[in-house]
Amino acid sequence: MTATNETQFLSDLATNETAVITKIKGYGAFRKRIREMGFVRGTTVKVIKKAPLQDPIEYELMGYRMSLRTSEAQLIEIMNVDDFNAENNHMYNDISCTEDVKQLKKNTGKTIQVALVGNPNCGKTSIFNQITGKHERVGNYSGVTVGAKTAHFNVQDYTIELTDLPGTYSISEYSPEELFVRKHLSEELPDVVINVVDASNLERNLFLTTQLIDMNIRVIIALNMYDELQEKGDKFDYQLFSCMIGIPVVPTVAAKAKGIGTLFDKVIDVFEETETMRHIHIFYGEELNASIQRIKVAVKKHHEINDSLHSQLVAIKLLGDDKQFIQHIQSFANSGEIIDIAHEESQRLEKTFNTKTETLITDAKYAFIRGALKETYTPASAQQEPKGYKADTILTNKWLGIPLFLLFMWAMFQLTFSLGSYPMEWIENGVAALRLLTQQNMPEGMLRDLLVDGIIGGVGGVIVFLPNILILFFCISLMEDTGYMARAAFIMDKIMHAIGLHGKSFIPMLMGFGCNVPAVMATRTLDGKKDRLLTILIIPLMSCSARLPVYVLFISAFFVHYQSLILLSLYLSGILLAALMAIMFKKLFFKKADVPFVMELPPYRIPTLRSIGSHTWNKSVQYLTKMGTIILVASVLLWALGYFSPPTPLRGACQSTESLPKGEVEVALSPPEGGRGASYLYRLGHFIEPAIAPLGFDWRMGISLVTGMFAKEIVVSSMGVLYRSGDEIETSSHNLQAKLQQQRHETGARKGEKVFTPLLAYSFMLFILLYFPCVATLAAIRHEVGLRWAIFSAVYTTALAWVVAYIVYNGGAIFL
């Protein structure tokens, strides 16, 4: 970058160019977030590359990488590194080690409440898993933990109540996670807070530490991923650093369980007050400190506020114009004087420095961090490109990024079919043997029919797809743990932005390929309410693993030579329709400005077998649990509806199935002894058949769709019951495939024609892809955004499914 007298912006830099930030323009959420991410005066930034679609742009600063859109980069002023150094000889503030006289009350109980706090992707949940033995989701991208998890375990003579809080860069008002963490720390008052800090990104991670210092709570720093710092050749005197900031520091490597025991021994020392600790105040400058002190004096006069919140925190949050915090303070009686003083001081400071007070506070915090690191941290003399980012040369390449992403998706689906076919056949043989054993050793009657037709036929017809689902989850877990999931968001941001979504919305959408429920919950990591709601509305269009058994069944039966391509087309159809619906919803419901694209790109890491294995195991347990609950109940109910008949005959005075056409007798699912007329199931199927007849669906397909509203896997078990012949029950996937291929219309104008053709099969799979989210997903949507949007989601997805299936089936019939 060459020197120039003209103002330059971050967007002006070319690839591999470096500059120093001098000023942040803009207002509101963007300015607040960008500064908390480290974009402050004096920070050196390097351009790594542009996304394959030329937007966003990847930058490196403070030892980590993140991405910004060009429009945001145009709001950041920069300067040549040499020019900046010449103009700024001194830029670090001193550290004030003033002791705070306020003493923390010692808890004399035997239970210690501990909270894990840290930036996304710093290893909090890995520490939680190591010490508790739980297997919570650990992913190498921002925002895996979307709610608090709590576990209990014993250390020495104490019971530790450990809470893993959501990952957050700050405890301001920017996102629901930040508010949740701040509320937990302020109201739950944990005895000790473990601040997990990524040792390879000290400067950025320690910003949150400075906010914890302002809260005057007992903190221990877990210096996680310490091995990465050592491998780079950096030197960090963490013991001196601990002395300077008054907080114990314990190096850890959570992935290898190193330092975890020492960390919780230190927790007990801090709790028992055998560990020497002192509370320091960050030096914010003479003017700002004077304003803070004036507000603190007013706070200490208000006993209710002073008893619940530290006066230093109150002063800083009020000066920083934290609206949520201001509203909280206003909820206290007689708090008007404090608010007025803070407003006066804020105006005075902004007039003096000609900049926002929150900017002064953020700059001072980073000056504090740099001052401490200047004395304790020495980077390796030969600075090389971090090895954790070398794969980006290929994976986010301008020409290769998108093709490689599509290739990975195709490979995932190809593995799902090819590798999953072997264990699938073993399970099929086991289910068939169990069915035969039951038939041979039980007398005829309703109980045997229930076991063979209802339970084994229903549950057994779905459980055979367990290997396919596990392979899918294994591949998704691999993308998450390596860090590739964040790159997918980086690659797709320009497309996502065009449809009105943030690039980070692509992460919950990809998670939706596994299960829509955690994907809906993962939208909590999105910063804007508009982005959250819009993403939630289109997540049900992402093809979850519950739909996979249906796809495997029909693709194996009707698309033998194009299995992976047909499966890929279904997933891409879901993404395409989600994009179209997002554009429509944006124009109808959301017309506000977009949230800026600020997202960390974590280094690639080799996932541990334990992490991927535990994730896959947990999903298998969840799937098997669903087999024994929802699908079991639905299968038994379906069998009962087909086994029993109402006393009222189906037609006129007909009192038995004898007057029904022969073909309809076979499908009426009456009891073997007959005499009761058509079953409840037959009646229900013919009641809804007019609504689906334009799609080419028969009544049995309609029944399968109704039962699939509870869980999509039930569609397969329903077909196993409905498309049987006589006493046969299709527990084998291959037998059911053959039955579907041979099924013919037995009555009406299409009598004798095959029910299923490749066109109808594809249309049916599209309907399964799009219609009615399962009950669990609707419950998650209701929990996140309310009942009104849950109902809307159920209605619009079903209407969309009908329209798409109609167009594909009838349009395809014209051309084919």
Side-chain angles (χ1 to χ4, degrees):
M1 176 181 172
T2 58
T4 177
N5 293 326
E6 296 181 1
T7 301
Q8 289 194 303
F9 301 95
L10 191 57
S11 56
D12 297 329
L13 289 182
T15 302
N16 294 323
E17 283 194 332
T18 302
V20 178
I21 295 172
T22 59
K23 186 178 180 180
I24 306 295
K25 301 172 67 177
Y27 298 94
F30 167 72
R31 183 184 179 91
K32 191 176 188 70
R33 169 54 69 212
I34 205 72
R35 299 192 69 82
E36 292 175 347
M37 293 287 287
F39 283 80
V40 296
R41 178 178 173 81
T43 298
T44 301
V45 182
K46 180 181 179 181
V47 180
I48 302 302
K49 68 171 62 173
K50 293 184 178 180
L53 298 178
Q54 302 303 293
D55 203 17
I57 305 171
E58 181 180 354
Y59 297 98
E60 182 177 59
L61 70 158
M62 294 185 180
Y64 79 103
R65 293 187 182 183
M66 54 93 67
S67 57
L68 287 176
R69 292 187 184 129
T70 302
S71 57
E72 277 97 45
Q74 290 171 346
L75 298 175
I76 302 173
E77 293 185 8
I78 58 173
M79 183 182 289
N80 181 278
V81 176
D82 295 334
D83 293 342
F84 182 86
N85 291 336
E87 293 182 10
N88 298 268
N89 295 322
H90 179 75
M91 58 179 294
Y92 300 109
N93 291 328
D94 294 327
I95 298 174
S96 170
C97 294
T98 306
E99 300 286 346
D100 192 285
V101 296
K102 184 175 181 180
Q103 297 295 320
L104 292 169
K105 182 179 179 181
K106 181 177 179 180
N107 187 335
T108 57
K110 281 294 188 180
T111 298
I112 305 177
Q113 293 180 331
V114 181
L116 283 170
V117 177
N119 285 191
N121 201 47
C122 68
K124 286 186 308 81
T125 306
S126 294
I127 292 178
F128 183 84
N129 291 345
Q130 289 287 1
I131 194 66
T132 64
K134 291 182 177 290
H135 302 294
E136 299 297 344
R137 186 71 197 98
V138 180
N140 188 16
Y141 62 92
S142 172
V144 172
T145 307
V146 292
K149 308 180 188 75
T150 301
H152 297 78
F153 57 94
N154 297 322
V155 176
Q156 298 181 25
D157 295 329
Y158 288 95
T159 297
I160 304 292
E161 183 181 298
L162 182 63
T163 302
D164 179 20
L165 295 174
T168 177
Y169 296 105
S170 171
I171 46 174
S172 58
E173 59 166 346
Y174 192 74
S175 70
E177 284 65 43
E178 295 174 352
L179 294 175
F180 181 88
V181 172
R182 187 170 76 193
K183 183 177 180 181
H184 181 90
L185 297 180
S186 300
E187 298 181 5
E188 299 298 326
L189 298 174
D191 300 308
V192 180
V193 173
I194 297 178
N195 178 204
V196 185
V197 171
D198 183 351
S200 62
N201 293 323
L202 286 172
E203 191 172 355
R204 197 280 313 282
N205 276 242
L206 288 171
F207 180 82
L208 178 59
T209 308
T210 63
Q211 294 184 315
L212 298 177
I213 290 174
D214 290 335
M215 296 186 74
N216 190 26
I217 54 182
R218 288 189 281 198
V219 178
I220 298 172
I221 291 178
L223 194 62
N224 199 32
M225 306 179 198
Y226 190 67
D227 55 337
E228 294 187 9
L229 181 145
Q230 293 176 315
E231 289 175 4
K232 289 194 300 182
D234 297 348
K235 304 294 182 183
F236 181 46
D237 190 343
Y238 63 85
Q239 293 176 329
L240 176 59
F241 180 81
S242 172
C243 179
M244 293 176 70
I245 67 172
I247 297 176
V249 179
V250 179
T252 61
V253 183
K256 301 177 182 177
K258 293 183 179 180
I260 305 299
T262 304
L263 176 64
F264 282 90
D265 288 340
K266 188 69 68 175
V267 167
I268 293 175
D269 292 341
V270 169
F271 178 76
E272 293 180 339
E273 298 182 359
T274 58
E275 174 74 21
T276 302
M277 294 185 67
R278 58 191 176 83
H279 180 68
I280 67 169
H281 282 323
I282 297 171
F283 182 71
Y284 289 100
E286 296 294 344
E287 292 290 340
L288 193 52
N289 269 5
S291 296
I292 291 173
Q293 189 60 35
R294 186 184 174 200
I295 299 171
K296 287 174 66 175
V297 171
V299 172
K300 289 178 180 178
K301 293 178 182 178
H302 195 297
H303 298 297
E304 189 178 359
I305 296 178
N306 194 47
D307 288 343
S308 61
L309 297 166
H310 193 264
S311 59
Q312 179 88 355
L313 176 69
V314 175
I316 291 170
K317 287 298 180 184
L318 293 181
L319 282 175
D321 194 31
D322 188 319
K323 292 180 175 57
Q324 291 285 345
F325 193 86
I326 292 173
Q327 290 177 7
H328 178 60
I329 296 299
Q330 288 174 334
S331 66
F332 292 94
N334 304 316
S335 60
E337 179 185 359
I338 299 174
I339 302 295
D340 292 340
I341 293 174
H343 183 66
E344 291 174 6
E345 291 300 318
S346 179
Q347 286 187 322
R348 183 184 69 82
L349 290 169
E350 291 181 2
K351 184 177 180 180
T352 301
F353 294 97
N354 194 30
T355 189
K356 290 286 187 180
T357 312
E358 66 184 53
T359 299
L360 297 175
I361 294 172
T362 303
D363 287 346
K365 287 182 181 295
Y366 273 110
F368 169 85
I369 295 168
R370 287 167 178 163
L373 292 179
K374 187 177 181 181
E375 301 295 327
T376 58
Y377 177 73
T378 305
S381 55
Q383 290 295 318
Q384 300 177 351
E385 181 182 8
K387 65 178 182 179
Y389 294 98
K390 291 182 179 179
D392 277 339
T393 305
I394 298 175
L395 296 181
T396 59
N397 180 271
K398 176 180 179 180
W399 304 109
L400 298 177
I402 293 178
L404 284 175
F405 172 71
L406 295 175
L407 177 62
F408 292 152
M409 294 295 102
W410 173 85
M412 178 172 69
F413 300 137
Q414 183 64 32
L415 280 175
T416 300
F417 277 103
S418 58
L419 191 60
S421 62
Y422 300 103
M424 181 180 175
E425 186 175 351
W426 303 335
I427 296 176
E428 282 182 342
N429 293 335
V431 171
L434 178 62
R435 172 185 174 274
L436 182 61
L437 183 66
T438 305
Q439 280 184 323
Q440 291 177 343
N441 290 275
M442 287 189 67
E444 292 186 7
M446 186 174 67
L447 180 59
R448 191 184 79 168
D449 292 339
L450 171 63
L451 291 175
V452 174
D453 298 351
I455 297 177
I456 299 178
V459 177
V462 179
I463 201 172
V464 296
F465 300 102
L466 176 62
N468 307 92
I469 290 176
L470 293 186
I471 292 172
L472 180 67
F473 273 114
F474 178 87
C475 294
I476 292 176
S477 176
L478 192 63
M479 287 195 297
E480 293 173 348
D481 288 3
T482 57
Y484 183 71
M485 193 74 88
R487 271 67 183 185
F490 173 71
I491 291 170
M492 298 298 294
D493 175 68
K494 190 165 186 178
I495 296 176
M496 300 297 290
H497 185 52
I499 65 175
L501 285 172
H502 193 287
K504 284 198 292 187
S505 296
F506 197 65
I507 293 176
M509 290 171 67
L510 279 179
M511 291 178 65
F513 288 164
C515 180
N516 287 170
V517 175
V520 169
M521 296 174 64
T523 59
R524 298 177 191 173
T525 62
L526 302 178
D527 301 316
K529 292 182 179 179
K530 182 212 76 172
D531 283 316
R532 288 192 65 214
L533 179 54
L534 191 52
T535 305
I536 285 173
L537 288 178
I538 64 174
I539 279 177
L541 304 182
M542 299 298 102
S543 186
C544 67
S545 61
R547 298 168 169 96
L548 189 60
V550 184
Y551 301 158
V552 173
L553 174 65
F554 280 92
I555 291 175
S556 299
F558 298 100
F559 304 96
V560 179
H561 302 296
Y562 308 99
Q563 292 182 339
S564 58
L565 290 177
I566 293 295
L567 186 59
L568 179 60
S569 73
L570 290 169
Y571 281 77
L572 291 179
S573 296
I575 295 174
L576 176 61
L577 288 168
L580 295 175
M581 297 308 297
I583 293 173
M584 185 178 75
F585 291 152
K586 181 184 178 182
K587 292 181 178 180
L588 290 176
F589 307 129
F590 313 104
K591 297 181 180 179
K592 295 182 180 180
D594 294 326
V595 171
F597 182 73
V598 183
M599 186 185 70
E600 180 182 357
L601 294 176
Y604 290 99
R605 291 192 171 98
I606 299 175
T608 62
L609 288 176
R610 175 177 179 175
S611 173
I612 295 181
S614 64
H615 183 217
T616 306
W617 168 253
N618 287 340
K619 292 302 177 182
S620 67
V621 171
Q622 292 176 17
Y623 188 75
L624 292 173
T625 301
K626 186 185 286 188
M627 295 299 103
T629 53
I630 298 176
I631 293 177
L632 174 61
V633 172
S635 297
V636 172
L637 178 62
L638 183 70
W639 170 85
L641 290 173
Y643 192 87
F644 297 104
S645 303
T648 304
L650 179 65
R651 300 175 184 174
C654 174
Q655 299 296 320
S656 73
T657 57
E658 295 177 0
S659 61
L660 290 176
K662 180 179 179 182
E664 294 189 16
V665 172
E666 294 179 359
V667 297
L669 299 182
S670 301
E673 65 270 15
R676 297 183 186 175
S679 68
Y680 289 102
L681 203 60
Y682 181 84
R683 291 170 180 266
L684 176 61
H686 281 273
F687 175 76
I688 64 176
E689 190 172 26
I692 58 175
L695 311 180
F697 301 170
D698 68 0
W699 69 272
R700 279 166 290 204
M701 298 169 71
I703 290 292
S704 300
L705 293 174
V706 172
T707 58
M709 291 179 178
F710 298 94
K712 295 299 181 287
E713 300 97 331
I714 301 178
V715 172
V716 174
S717 59
S718 299
M719 289 190 162
V721 173
L722 293 167
Y723 285 102
R724 64 187 176 93
S725 176
D727 292 332
E728 295 179 7
I729 184 70
E730 308 302 342
T731 58
S732 166
S733 171
H734 290 110
N735 290 343
L736 182 55
Q737 290 170 19
K739 187 67 179 177
L740 295 177
Q741 291 168 343
Q742 299 165 6
Q743 192 71 27
R744 295 181 181 275
H745 290 283
E746 295 152 328
T747 60
R750 300 180 61 189
K751 183 176 181 180
E753 296 180 12
K754 285 190 174 183
V755 174
F756 289 98
T757 63
L759 178 61
L760 180 63
Y762 192 76
S763 174
F764 186 70
M765 288 189 291
L766 283 174
F767 197 97
I768 295 293
L769 164 69
L770 302 173
Y771 91 111
F772 202 91
C774 70
V775 173
T777 301
L778 286 178
I781 294 174
R782 178 183 180 277
H783 181 267
E784 295 299 320
V785 292
L787 178 62
R788 180 168 61 98
W789 289 110
I791 295 174
F792 175 78
S793 180
V795 172
Y796 104 79
T797 53
T798 304
L800 178 65
W802 196 96
V803 171
V804 170
Y806 181 86
I807 293 173
V808 171
Y809 177 70
N810 292 280
I814 296 174
F815 294 102
L816 300 179

